[in-house]
Amino acid sequence: MNPDTTLRTPYPMKVLKRGDIGAWPVVGALVAIAIIFSTLNDRFLSAQNLTTLALQMAATGTIALGIIMVLLLGEIDLSAGSVSGLCATVMTIVNVKQGWHPLASIGLALAAGAAIGLLHGFMLTRLRMPSFVVTLAGLMGWQGLLLYLLREGGTINLPFTGFISKLSDTWLPGWLSWLVVAGLVLGSGGVSLLNRVHRSRAGLPVTPVWWLGARSAGLAVLLGAGVLIMSADRGVPLLLVIFATLVVGFDLLLRHTAFGRHVYAVGGNAEAARRAGINVTRIRILAFMLGSTLAAAGGILAASRLSAVNQQSGGSDVLLMAIAAAVIGGTSLFGGRGRAYAALLGVLVIQSITSGMFLLSVDSSVRLMVTAAVLALAVAIDSLARKGPIR
Amino acid sequence: MISASGITKRYGAVQALDGASLDLRPGEVVALMGDNGAGKSTLVKAISGVVIPDAGTIAVDGAPVRIGGPRDAQALGIATVYQDLALCENLDVVGNLFLGAEDRFLRHIRMERATRDLLGQLDVRIRDIRVPVAMLSGGQRQSVAIARALLGSPRLVILDEPTAALGVEQTAQVLALIGRLRERGLAVLVVSHNLADVRAVSDRVAVLRLGRNAGVFGTATAAQEEIVAAITGAGA
Ligand SMILES: Nc1ncnc2c1ncn2[C@@H]1O[C@H](COP(=O)(O)OP(=O)(O)OP(=O)(O)O)[C@@H](O)[C@H]1O
Ligand SMILES: [Mg+2]
């Protein structure tokens, strides 16, 4: 055995060498946004504003998470906005008009999302249509179906005190928030410590303990600050917890299961994946199903916030913001690179800009231009990182 | 021993192979040479199950076997490293080595350990096996592709032009690696156009010409002119 194989520098130093800049640009952008808007308006960093921001993130963020599943394949999903609106409408109709149980209505909406994803995946893999065209058709078609379903009235309200509306008006009590934070910090710290023990037992290079400690401390400070701020207002919104749980769940799925690895493999080199015996068609269809199901989930959360669905549900800039969030968060448009956390980071950037502009009562024209600039910057960083890794 | 005999394959009007034969023994590196279009790749594909020959038999240890697809070949212990390595550039070495062979829930430590051990045994030098393959040199990638072929414990490894795209030093690395495959007791078949490489690494040279056998030479005993003459058909 030669020593070169085992020689490794600890992770933090390696990051730059790899040409993998990771989440740092986004974090930098967030800090810059916080500084700029809080100097322009002292309400930006107030507990009330930040709590509202957290509430607003969930729907778009969940849709962005679905977009990431598809982007990782090197494909695109333009239909996510329409699908979110349509599925929310289906849920609302069976709940309000047919008197279905809220949970059954939600289940039906998610199933409808999965079925739409299955159809898109089928058109992509069996009919060999490009995903751009498949989902462009979806963008128009599902929007059309939504308008058809809503044709009389145009708006359906959800009962304000009903289960679905309550989802976005439920706040975690302080003790529970702190319990969750403690659980997350201790849990993740414990797992990485255990992992370290197993690695060193297997004779594999390990991360220095101080780095694990620093990471846990950083996580504790971040989560603690969040809970502290939101507790000063209404508390931690359930919607944020749902979104965060989805992000963590999909991160685990992508990094620790064969399915997740195969998604990256198909996005990186589909032919290599096929020759390695991976059922590429199955992976593609499953990823599209997950993407559309998450779009449906995002639509449900949006309907809950609004306590209604209408002809604008899932329309206007929902899709654009979700794609922008995924890309700003660091998901590559070229496939095979990106993580679930991109949804969280990206939507945080976008909602911060939206919220800051709103506080400054800037016209939405300016908001669109600023968001566009951030998006362009994110894609430029992605392209450069892809082309010339610093060796 | 794996032997192919009388392999015939016709593509429309082109007779790609016309009764070609080849014997591959454990612990022996056979170089397959021949001019462009001589049928080398077609013969390799017939053995690795990518192409079904029109006629001819393939036998393992004297018993005829049916190779109806790449899976059959793999099951018989025949591993192929194609010219376009088929690696996922975005995955790391571990991810590429185990691609398609993972457990449902990834066992990172077991896979990384096995990767390190295998690369160590083959004396492949890769500083960090968890960087994306995109960051490796051409020789290192070739080595990863070869190591991956070894994971299924094959008896025969087929390499189609493994050094075609490599510089001097990396070619030497890959040739050394092929030598270590021989030391492990594997049968190795290398397709190559490069006489110097072939002399450095092979035990025997089999030459194809227009789909037929044009001679088998002991690398140590044959003169270079003899081999070149067989390839070009001069003096035949
Ligand atoms: N799929 C195919 N369809 C039609 N003809 C083919 C096909 N594959 C190979 N041939 C023909 O069969 C003959 C042998 O091809 P083969 O690829 O085996 O040659 P080779 O010895 O590998 O050549 P090279 O050194 O250029 O790689 C050539 O004339 C080629 O054009
Ligand atoms: Mg060839």
Side-chain angles (χ1 to χ4, degrees):
Chain A
M1 169 140 337
N2 75 77
D4 261 9
T5 318
T6 56
L7 190 93
R8 279 161 60 91
T9 40
Y11 296 93
M13 290 168 61
K14 225 175 46 191
V15 170
L16 285 175
K17 264 204 240 151
R18 245 186 221 196
D20 173 8
I21 27 162
W24 291 114
V26 202
V27 174
L30 278 173
V31 172
I33 288 169
I35 293 175
I36 293 171
F37 283 121
S38 59
T39 44
L40 291 176
N41 187 315
D42 50 12
R43 287 212 336 266
F44 181 73
L45 286 182
S46 71
Q48 198 216 342
N49 192 50
L50 290 181
T51 308
T52 306
L53 208 160
L55 202 56
Q56 286 165 338
M57 275 170 31
T60 312
T62 304
I63 299 173
L65 190 57
I67 298 273
I68 289 173
M69 293 305 296
V70 173
L71 285 183
L72 284 179
L73 292 177
E75 305 287 349
I76 184 76
D77 186 354
L78 299 175
S79 70
S82 300
V83 170
S84 79
L86 174 66
C87 293
T89 303
V90 167
M91 169 193 75
T92 308
I93 287 177
V94 295
N95 179 231
V96 174
K97 302 247 160 111
Q98 324 274 326
W100 283 34
H101 188 275
L103 284 179
S105 315
I106 291 175
L108 180 70
L110 294 176
I116 289 172
L118 179 66
L119 179 65
H120 289 168
F122 187 82
M123 291 162 81
L124 176 83
T125 56
R126 291 290 144 84
L127 306 184
R128 297 181 188 273
M129 297 167 67
S131 61
F132 184 89
V133 178
V134 170
T135 58
L136 182 64
L139 165 71
M140 298 187 282
W142 306 122
Q143 171 85 16
L145 185 56
L146 174 147
L147 295 177
Y148 175 80
L149 290 175
L150 285 177
R151 65 199 173 286
E152 73 263 7
T155 299
I156 306 176
N157 291 315
L158 282 156
F160 269 112
T161 51
F163 175 84
I164 296 170
S165 297
K166 269 286 176 207
L167 280 180
S168 52
D169 193 23
T170 302
W171 312 83
L172 262 59
W175 62 268
L176 187 55
S177 310
W178 287 112
L179 203 66
V180 170
V181 169
L184 282 176
V185 171
L186 293 180
S188 71
V191 167
S192 27
L193 215 54
L194 204 65
N195 188 40
R196 190 180 187 281
V197 170
H198 283 309
R199 286 183 67 88
S200 78
R201 256 196 223 140
L204 294 172
V206 290
T207 348
V209 177
W210 67 264
W211 175 243
L212 293 184
R215 252 188 1 202
S216 288
L219 185 67
V221 168
L222 268 180
L223 293 179
V227 169
L228 213 57
I229 292 171
M230 288 187 265
S231 299
D233 190 48
R234 287 152 284 179
V236 177
L238 176 65
L239 233 48
L240 180 65
V241 176
I242 294 175
F243 172 47
T245 308
L246 284 172
V247 170
V248 172
F250 272 81
D251 181 61
L252 295 178
L253 177 77
L254 284 174
R255 287 193 304 127
H256 296 291
T257 67
F259 169 74
R261 171 126 327 153
H262 294 173
V263 168
Y264 284 104
V266 171
N269 185 344
E271 178 57 25
R274 185 175 293 118
R275 285 199 215 158
I278 294 170
N279 186 341
V280 175
T281 300
R282 176 176 158 269
I283 299 292
R284 286 205 170 116
I285 290 180
L286 278 175
F288 267 84
M289 287 178 71
L290 286 174
S292 295
T293 308
L294 283 168
I300 294 168
L301 299 184
S304 162
R305 280 262 300 150
L306 196 64
S307 275
V309 291
N310 57 36
Q311 289 170 339
Q312 276 81 50
S313 290
S316 66
D317 59 0
V318 170
L319 169 75
L320 304 181
M321 289 305 157
I323 294 181
V327 175
I328 289 173
T331 313
S332 174
L333 285 166
F334 306 103
R337 281 199 304 124
R339 289 184 53 179
Y341 288 110
L344 183 63
L345 289 172
V347 80
L348 201 53
V349 169
I350 286 195
Q351 285 301 342
S352 303
I353 295 174
T354 308
S355 153
M357 295 282 174
F358 180 77
L359 285 180
L360 298 173
S361 2
V362 186
D363 194 71
S364 73
S365 59
V366 180
R367 176 178 68 86
L368 277 178
M369 288 188 276
V370 170
T371 310
V374 175
L375 176 66
L377 195 67
V379 175
I381 291 174
D382 172 40
S383 302
L384 289 178
R386 203 175 82 107
K387 250 196 205 144
I390 311 148
R391 292 183 99 162
Chain B
M1 182 170 94
I2 295 181
S3 27
S5 50
I7 306 289
T8 300
K9 177 74 193 176
R10 173 181 277 281
Y11 292 109
V14 183
Q15 188 78 41
L17 286 176
D18 190 6
S21 300
L22 195 61
D23 287 341
L24 302 160
R25 301 188 185 87
E28 189 187 53
V29 178
V30 174
L32 185 59
M33 300 196 77
D35 229 337
N36 293 115
K40 304 180 296 292
S41 293
T42 308
L43 183 55
V44 161
K45 284 176 186 160
I47 299 174
S48 59
V50 176
V51 153
I52 314 292
D54 304 330
T57 50
I58 294 171
V60 174
D61 296 332
V65 291
R66 212 190 74 85
I67 299 183
R71 299 243 154 198
D72 292 347
Q74 274 161 26
L76 288 167
I78 299 170
T80 312
V81 180
Y82 297 96
Q83 196 167 346
D84 57 335
L85 307 179
L87 298 174
C88 289
E89 304 254 304
N90 59 328
L91 297 184
D92 63 10
V93 177
V94 185
N96 270 290
L97 228 56
F98 281 90
L99 194 61
E102 306 95 341
D103 295 318
R104 177 166 298 181
F105 293 97
L106 301 182
R107 293 163 67 183
H108 297 282
I109 293 176
R110 196 183 64 85
M111 292 194 292
E112 191 173 337
R113 175 80 230 192
T115 302
R116 232 189 45 169
D117 289 351
L118 182 58
L119 295 183
Q121 284 165 26
L122 298 173
D123 205 25
V124 173
R125 285 154 201 274
I126 296 174
R127 187 179 265 270
D128 185 345
I129 55 177
R130 297 214 306 196
V131 299
V133 163
M135 315 246 344
L136 301 183
S137 73
Q140 287 175 324
R141 287 182 212 197
Q142 184 66 255
S143 303
V144 170
I146 295 174
R148 186 165 92 190
L150 293 184
L151 264 194
S153 334
R155 54 198 294 165
L156 166 65
V157 177
I158 304 176
L159 304 142
D160 199 354
E161 309 213 24
T163 58
L166 301 183
V168 178
E169 193 185 329
Q170 303 194 350
T171 298
Q173 274 174 23
V174 170
L175 294 183
L177 178 51
I178 293 173
R180 283 191 287 278
L181 300 186
R182 167 175 45 206
E183 283 160 27
R184 293 183 135 216
L186 296 171
V188 182
L189 176 63
V190 184
V191 176
S192 179
H193 280 288
N194 187 323
L195 259 173
D197 290 1
V198 166
R199 295 195 80 89
V201 77
S202 70
D203 301 302
R204 282 189 301 139
V205 182
V207 177
L208 283 184
R209 179 163 171 73
L210 303 175
R212 297 198 188 111
N213 290 85
V216 179
F217 306 88
T219 311
T221 53
Q224 181 150 330
E225 296 73 33
E226 254 184 293
I227 299 176
V228 172
I231 293 172
T232 57

